[in-house]
Amino acid sequence: MYKLLITSISAIGLIATTTFTHQQPLQAQLQKTPGGVTQPAAKRVTLTLKAEKKVVKMVDDKPKITYQPVTGKVQSRDILKYTVTAKNGDRPVKNLMLTQPIPKGTTYVKNSATILPGSQLLFSIDGGKTYTSRPMIGKNEAPTSTYTNLRWKFTQLMAAKAQVNAAYEVEVK
């Protein structure tokens, strides 16, 4: 059994004027375990990041929500949905963490992150230095506009050949 400490995909370069042409598969990074041994994470967990734009159309006086690939410039108030797919290789993975930044020029949409079985959803308001399930500023809950990162921390073993999909939405400022 292997330990994978942190797996991260970065979407920091996305701002309101970024153009998307296609999605690119991303590999897990090599990670150091507490004993100093580097685990070949890139050979075990493959990560893919997909960005889609939320489209709301009225059908029979009711809103119909769909998601379309982001192919051009995004505009203020657009809602973007990011989906991180983690596909495991031939061996189980323990302590998997999927970490995503909230892209600059966007704000996390409250309660939009997927709640995954066997994982804990955590947020950061300090650029990813610390994570908690309910960020606080003083005695008050932090507004989502202060969120800088989110993380799915898996408390259960990820089986060999398993796949998980974690999603969240942001609004372009």
Side-chain angles (χ1 to χ4, degrees), residues 19-56:
T19 302
F20 290 84
T21 54
H22 61 291
Q23 78 186 52
Q24 302 247 343
L26 302 167
Q27 296 293 318
Q29 300 170 352
L30 294 178
Q31 302 298 324
K32 289 229 180 220
T33 61
V37 177
T38 301
Q39 299 288 332
K43 293 183 181 179
R44 291 197 318 277
V45 178
T46 303
L47 303 175
T48 305
L49 178 64
K50 177 172 63 171
E52 297 174 295
K53 182 177 168 182
K54 186 176 188 177
V55 178
V56 180

Side-chain angles (χ1 to χ4, degrees), residues 89-136:
D90 295 332
R91 296 187 177 164
V93 173
K94 186 176 180 181
N95 300 327
L96 176 67
M97 290 188 201
L98 299 177
T99 301
Q100 279 292 105
I102 304 301
K104 290 182 181 180
T106 69
T107 301
Y108 171 73
V109 175
K110 189 171 187 167
N111 299 323
S112 68
T114 308
I115 305 298
L116 298 173
S119 74
Q120 183 180 17
L121 180 60
L122 304 169
F123 301 94
S124 176
I125 59 172
D126 60 8
K129 293 176 187 170
T130 61
Y131 287 87
T132 181
S133 59
R134 190 170 167 223
M136 303 293 283

